[in-house]
Amino acid sequence: MTAIRAPFRIRGGVHPHDSKSATSALPVETAAVPPRLLVSASQHLGAPSKPVVKKGDAVLRGQVIAEASGYVSSAVHAPTSGTVKSVTSMLTATARHAFVVEIEPDGQDKWVEPLHPMADWTSAAPRDLVNRIAAAGIVGMGGAGFPTQVKLSPPPGKSIDTVIINGAECEPFLTADHRLMLEQSDAVWLGARIIRHILGASRLFVGIEDNKPDAIAAMEKAMAGADGETGVIILKSRYPQGAEKQLIRSVTGREVPSGGLPMDVGAVVENVATAAAVAAAVTRGVPLTERVITITGECVKNPRNLLARVGTPISWLIEQCGGLTGSVGKVISGGPMMGVALPDLDVGANKTTSGVLAISRESARQFGSEPCIACGRCVIACPSGLLPCTLSEHIEAEQFDDAERISVLDCIECGACAFECPARRPLVQHMRQGKQTVLTRRRAREAAARGKEERK
Amino acid sequence: MDPVIQHTILIGMAGLVCGALLALVSHYFAVHEDPTVEALTAALPGINCGGCGYAGCAAYAKAVATENIGLDLCKPGGAETVAKMAAITGRTASAREREVAVVLCNGSRERARQAALYNGVADCAAADLVAGGGKSCRFGCLGFGSCARVCPTGAIEIADSLAVVHPELCIGCGKCTGACPRKLIKLVPESRSIHVLCINRDRGPDVKKVCDVGCIGCTLCSKACNNEGIKMDGFLAVVDYTVPLNSPEIATKCPTKAIAVRPGVKKEAAA
Amino acid sequence: MTELVLLVVGAVLVNNFVLHRFLGICPFLGVSRDIPTALGMSAAVVFVVTCAAAVTWPLQYFVLERFGAGYLQTIAFILVIATFVQLVELVLKKAAPALHRGLGIYLPLITTNCAVLGVTVLSIKKGLNFVESIFFALGAALGFGLALLIFTGMRERIARAYPPRAFQGTAIALVTAGLLSLAFMGFAGLVKL
């Protein structure tokens, strides 16, 4: 089956310069194991994992060092063999504090034995495969880090008919997924079929933006002769094409309802790197301990795509690329649109760290808090169909009930509005503050209602 | 008859008719209201701060009259209000000691270090979501004044990016404790003057790295008072406000000056 | 029929009580903070003004005129309107407590609202018959509600905007009211009465 153009379009969106040329032609190189690893116990969305090793413990690669502490949680494995130096609360690559296991590698990189390869996954029960994925600590590697086993276990009553593998990589600068699709297209395709098998879906698509024709060709080649309703969907290059709900809209034309999840419209989206990790976990029994990271930006001397261990310090990664040059304004973990600026470079990369971006002082945008000039460009840009200008004004005036009424919780924090805003308003930060406050107040309301019930 | 008299009578009659009508209607449509609720509402300060946990003074008054709720929940009112309410309801109650808020951080701009340049929204909750704002210390006061904005009496001042409560203005409603994203503000008995102004739970060297006046967990203070009054919670000294602590000289023991003697001393000095 | 429609349109738009005759400014500025309360106030005004017209018209023609006491119109009307509003409040409190809570403080406020007295006095002055005076009152009240709601919407937006410091609060509200009044002048000549 040949590639087809996406039958639908996303709403709104922006078109930043993609700036991918620095690294898109560079093959993925395997980075060495750094002299120390800072492995966060909270690399996913949901309950932080519980560290199960202590200072002085010897660990082997693939050994569980932090176990899942709830349903929406994920295990973390040692990225190499060595000694645990400390388990402390530290800053991580998400710019949040979490428990971090510091490991000093012994240089032998010995795997924990035995691994459990699976010869024939096609006849395995979906439940076993999901357990395998959970044991491998796989999370959504596109950035959000939602535990994959949760996504692959839809509650009874929800049937999934479409699996979309997300190779859009709409964030400027990043080329990690692009290179992965070129170099490991078979692994991605294998992972995609495993996911389809688990969910029992009939349709399986790989969505790729049209600025990556070589990746489209590579995936098509890998998928040649595939069974069932499959295909590469060529997406228009537009940010945020790769956001979950937007991708579903482009590929299927279905709209995820307000406050709903993709599974409400029978779709599941997984990143290409997640698919490759699923393939490795199922067929080779290998837990997720490394990922491709793009280290780029105008202030990085030699931008590269590196296959690095989880927990590799960002500062060490930058050193591998020749260090920083020029007047650095910001070092961002992730892409320029949704990534977070790091206050400290001695933080370990996470399973979700798709890129490290060093931009100059001139390019680092300084936000002000000037008044909204009501131009409406953010409204046109918003892929969720919200009114970012009005929302931010409500939040600034602390009118959180009004913000809730006009759906602040449907904001996906993609940053398209702030990208467009001529008044340089910190719109995304307002949205995050608003979402946080609305959720806190909602929880307080529910708790009060429960309290009232109990008193009666 | 003189028209003036005639018309005076006319209007007078109209007034009488209207009055009578109102009297009749108010008799037949009378809604029984509990007079104690009204009396209790009048006895309360009427500033509707919500510190008692009810939606305003009237709601609390209603709860007291109908649900046998304690009389001592009104923090701004203090002993006077409790006495008034006790007289109205015929119940006995003693006032709790008045509480005032204290910000458990002393890391002003000069004393605490900055990790990064923060140029986002000037709001504590928003800054806390972005890598914890510019301050190195992840426990310390962000100084954007979210607490000051919710304070009904303007008792919180932001000086040198640090919030400071003026105890004489504080009514102890506790709104600021909820507004602080770092849970730095605590309600303490008014008479207490010795506070450990730090909640950093990291180890000493880590604290030293981010702040000059943080608690480094040296345990000198807790030893000085035989572990009564100030207790160690991991690497952090915490004042136990249920135990009396009357020795201001304990503050001098602290090598980092994290223990402060704050105004509000009047009662303690007299005792 | 056309006459009645014109009467209502004229009272709503052309001779708007708030923006053209400048009556009822107190609630116009006082209860224009948010839409729900403004709606409650508008509904209360529509109800009270229409009923007041229905009460005062017979009072004027069957009582005051008969006794030659037309000059006592103001006192008599105030008396009757105040009584009427109090009656309505008492009855509502008993019969429809939810509605009473909804209208809350606005009902007694309207008692002393000059717009109510203005409407009743004007409809007598214009020499309208009973039906006409009711429709006139309805139009006036709807006009009040319209002006109040428009103004409230604007103030809600001003609340999240940044006017210069000297203009913050009541100052910018008054400027807005003035501009709104100017805008309503555009309706002049729409209806010839």
Side-chain angles (χ1 to χ4, degrees):
Chain A
M1 181 171 173
T2 52
I4 56 160
R5 287 230 151 240
F8 303 94
R9 287 250 187 117
I10 65 165
R11 188 196 277 122
V14 290
H15 198 109
H17 187 268
D18 75 2
S19 311
K20 290 177 192 271
S21 56
T23 50
S24 60
L26 301 176
V28 175
E29 298 163 79
T30 306
V33 179
R36 82 186 183 129
L37 287 160
L38 302 166
V39 188
S40 165
S42 180
Q43 308 202 13
H44 53 269
L45 216 66
S49 309
K50 208 164 89 261
V52 289
V53 290
K54 54 184 194 303
K55 189 177 172 180
D57 283 3
V59 291
L60 293 172
R61 184 173 187 192
Q63 183 182 333
V64 175
I65 55 173
E67 59 188 21
S69 64
Y71 181 64
V72 183
S73 188
S74 182
V76 179
H77 302 78
T80 186
S81 58
T83 323
V84 176
K85 299 301 282 182
S86 68
V87 182
T88 46
S89 179
M90 271 178 71
L91 200 67
T92 68
T94 52
R96 316 275 315 163
H97 277 83
F99 274 105
V100 170
V101 179
E102 186 183 346
I103 297 174
E104 190 179 69
D106 56 12
Q108 297 178 13
D109 207 16
K110 222 172 121 205
W111 277 95
V112 66
E113 296 292 342
L115 299 169
H116 298 284
M118 188 181 240
D120 181 23
W121 57 267
T122 47
S123 54
R127 196 63 250 164
D128 295 343
L129 294 172
V130 169
N131 288 342
R132 220 157 222 276
I133 288 165
I138 297 178
V139 301
M141 288 162 81
F146 194 75
T148 302
Q149 78 273 13
V150 180
K151 234 186 202 180
L152 297 185
S153 319
K158 295 249 190 270
S159 76
I160 308 295
D161 66 346
T162 308
V163 172
I164 305 170
I165 302 300
N166 186 354
E169 199 162 51
C170 56
E171 278 267 6
F173 287 98
L174 304 186
T175 55
D177 290 352
H178 181 183
R179 292 309 306 180
L180 191 84
M181 285 187 281
L182 278 180
E183 296 170 28
Q184 294 188 44
S185 33
D186 291 326
V188 171
W189 178 232
L190 178 61
R193 278 177 295 160
I194 295 172
I195 292 166
R196 178 177 65 171
H197 173 68
I198 291 171
L199 291 167
S202 56
R203 310 200 294 166
L204 171 59
F205 301 114
V206 180
I208 306 174
E209 276 194 350
D210 57 9
N211 60 357
K212 294 181 268 291
D214 47 351
I216 294 168
M219 284 312 297
E220 265 191 309
K221 200 164 150 238
M223 290 164 73
D227 54 322
E229 196 180 338
T230 57
V232 173
I233 305 284
I234 304 171
L235 306 162
K236 204 170 147 46
S237 294
R238 192 161 184 82
Y239 182 85
Q241 186 68 262
E244 195 171 50
K245 292 170 187 173
Q246 278 61 36
L247 187 64
I248 292 170
R249 185 183 158 109
S250 289
V251 173
T252 66
R254 299 174 195 168
E255 178 113 18
V256 178
S258 171
L261 290 168
M263 59 177 69
D264 292 334
V265 293
V268 160
V269 178
E270 290 290 358
N271 179 266
V272 285
T274 317
V278 165
V282 169
T283 57
R284 291 192 283 132
V286 175
L288 178 56
T289 57
E290 58 186 3
R291 68 156 297 142
V292 181
I293 303 176
T294 305
I295 297 101
T296 183
E298 57 208 313
C299 293
V300 174
K301 211 166 188 180
N302 307 308
R304 288 166 84 181
N305 294 307
L306 290 175
L307 179 67
R309 298 294 162 86
V310 169
T312 305
I314 301 283
S315 53
W316 194 84
L317 281 173
I318 292 173
E319 261 170 50
Q320 300 305 300
C321 301
L324 297 169
T325 59
S327 66
V328 182
K330 264 183 196 175
V331 174
I332 297 167
S333 154
M337 300 295 283
M338 285 189 76
V340 288
L342 292 173
D344 187 356
L345 296 186
D346 272 332
V347 297
N350 277 351
K351 293 170 185 173
T352 52
T353 310
S354 46
V356 175
L357 182 64
I359 56 175
S360 71
R361 209 162 284 236
E362 292 78 49
S363 328
R365 192 169 205 180
Q366 298 291 306
F367 285 106
S369 268
E370 280 83 20
C372 168
I373 59 169
C375 66
R377 276 159 69 171
C378 54
V379 181
I380 296 169
C382 182
S384 301
L386 305 178
L387 303 170
C389 48
T390 316
L391 277 170
S392 83
E393 281 180 342
H394 277 314
I395 291 159
E396 224 168 14
E398 307 196 336
Q399 299 165 341
F400 295 106
D401 292 333
D402 293 296
E404 187 175 3
R405 190 170 44 80
I406 56 173
S407 311
V408 68
L409 293 179
D410 283 328
C411 170
I412 58 167
E413 299 172 26
C414 68
C417 50
F419 179 80
E420 281 286 302
C421 183
R424 299 198 159 191
R425 282 169 66 74
L427 292 166
V428 182
Q429 210 191 347
H430 280 142
M431 301 302 153
R432 291 180 71 175
Q433 185 196 345
K435 282 167 82 172
Q436 172 100 359
T437 314
V438 165
L439 284 175
T440 321
R441 287 161 66 122
R442 189 178 275 186
R443 271 197 292 274
R445 261 206 312 272
E446 280 161 10
R450 263 202 307 279
K452 220 173 229 175
E453 287 288 306
E454 275 159 25
R455 249 183 286 163
K456 276 178 192 167
Chain B
M1 203 197 276
D2 185 8
V4 174
I5 298 172
Q6 194 187 347
H7 293 162
T8 311
I9 293 171
L10 180 72
I11 291 292
M13 290 297 288
L16 268 180
V17 170
C18 289
L21 201 62
L22 274 179
L24 273 176
V25 170
S26 68
H27 179 73
Y28 284 108
F29 284 85
V31 178
H32 179 70
E33 263 181 7
D34 193 350
T36 42
V37 176
E38 267 170 53
L40 286 171
T41 313
L44 287 164
I47 48 176
N48 296 321
C49 69
C52 51
Y54 290 90
C57 295
Y60 176 48
K62 198 173 170 209
V64 168
T66 55
E67 289 177 42
N68 197 26
I69 300 285
L71 300 178
D72 54 354
L73 293 182
C74 180
K75 288 161 187 165
E80 208 179 310
T81 304
V82 175
K84 271 194 223 161
M85 286 171 57
I88 294 165
T89 54
R91 282 150 63 182
T92 50
S94 58
R96 278 185 201 177
E97 196 191 342
R98 207 173 80 91
E99 288 188 320
V100 292
V102 59
V103 181
L104 297 180
C105 178
N106 205 12
S108 62
R109 199 176 288 128
E110 301 89 62
R111 299 182 203 130
R113 267 165 284 299
Q114 297 287 315
L117 179 77
Y118 173 79
N119 79 334
V121 179
D123 177 276
C124 299
D128 194 46
L129 285 171
V130 186
K135 222 169 215 171
S136 298
C137 177
R138 69 194 160 98
F139 297 93
C141 175
L142 291 156
F144 293 110
S146 289
C147 50
R149 281 196 289 280
V150 298
C151 181
T153 59
I156 303 180
E157 184 194 357
I158 306 294
D160 266 349
S161 62
L162 178 69
V164 180
V165 179
H166 291 280
E168 66 278 10
L169 291 174
C170 180
I171 55 170
C173 67
K175 280 195 169 171
C176 48
T177 57
C180 180
R182 299 198 149 174
K183 306 273 167 272
L184 269 171
I185 308 181
K186 193 175 160 65
L187 287 174
V188 300
E190 189 192 20
S191 60
R192 303 303 293 262
S193 59
I194 301 164
H195 309 292
V196 177
L197 295 182
C198 185
I199 60 161
N200 193 322
R201 295 178 169 278
D202 285 344
R203 281 172 303 182
D206 293 337
V207 176
K208 227 31 202 158
K209 254 183 256 170
V210 295
C211 187
D212 292 339
V213 290
C215 172
I216 54 171
C218 67
T219 72
L220 282 178
C221 54
S222 66
K223 277 179 191 145
C225 62
N226 294 324
N227 222 6
E228 279 174 19
I230 298 181
K231 289 199 172 87
M232 296 307 295
D233 180 7
F235 297 106
L236 176 66
V238 181
V239 176
D240 182 354
Y241 289 99
T242 56
V243 179
L245 179 68
N246 290 324
S247 46
E249 61 273 15
I250 207 161
T252 58
K253 298 260 195 260
C254 182
T256 57
K257 308 269 181 294
I259 301 182
V261 182
R262 278 278 161 92
V265 217
K266 41 192 191 260
K267 282 182 194 166
E268 199 156 279
Chain C
M1 192 63 217
T2 330
E3 280 286 295
L4 290 180
V5 172
L6 286 181
L7 201 61
V8 171
V9 172
V12 171
L13 295 176
V14 185
N15 295 319
N16 187 291
F17 263 71
V18 178
L19 299 171
H20 185 255
R21 295 191 204 270
F22 310 124
L23 292 172
I25 297 294
C26 168
F28 182 66
L29 293 173
V31 284
S32 52
R33 297 239 177 258
D34 58 305
I35 295 275
T37 43
L39 263 176
M41 183 68 182
S42 305
V45 166
V46 168
F47 177 72
V48 168
V49 169
T50 315
C51 294
V55 175
T56 52
W57 195 89
L59 175 73
Q60 172 74 20
Y61 289 105
F62 297 135
V63 182
L64 295 179
E65 302 259 300
R66 179 163 300 173
F67 292 98
Y71 67 96
L72 287 175
Q73 191 192 41
T74 314
I75 298 174
F77 279 16
I78 290 179
L79 182 70
V80 171
I81 291 169
T83 310
F84 174 71
V85 173
Q86 284 303 317
L87 278 180
V88 170
E89 205 199 344
L90 284 171
V91 172
L92 272 186
K93 202 168 181 181
K94 180 82 176 177
L99 186 62
H100 181 259
R101 259 199 309 280
L103 293 176
I105 186 77
Y106 307 121
L107 262 180
L109 258 182
I110 298 166
T111 316
T112 50
N113 185 346
C114 59
V116 182
L117 185 65
V119 171
T120 49
V121 170
L122 262 175
S123 64
I124 302 296
K125 212 182 209 172
K126 279 171 174 266
L128 303 176
N129 66 30
F130 182 70
V131 177
E132 282 173 340
S133 86
I134 296 230
F135 273 86
F136 177 67
L138 183 69
L142 287 175
F144 174 86
L146 177 73
L148 184 63
L149 284 178
I150 293 178
F151 188 57
T152 308
M154 290 166 121
R155 283 190 80 175
E156 276 198 344
R157 297 199 69 160
I158 290 170
R160 0 180 259 266
Y162 303 81
R165 205 161 183 183
F167 280 94
Q168 273 167 18
T170 317
I172 192 76
L174 287 173
V175 171
T176 316
L179 290 174
L180 195 58
S181 171
L182 276 177
F184 265 69
M185 278 190 174
F187 290 116
L190 184 70
V191 177
K192 200 91 193 141
L193 277 179

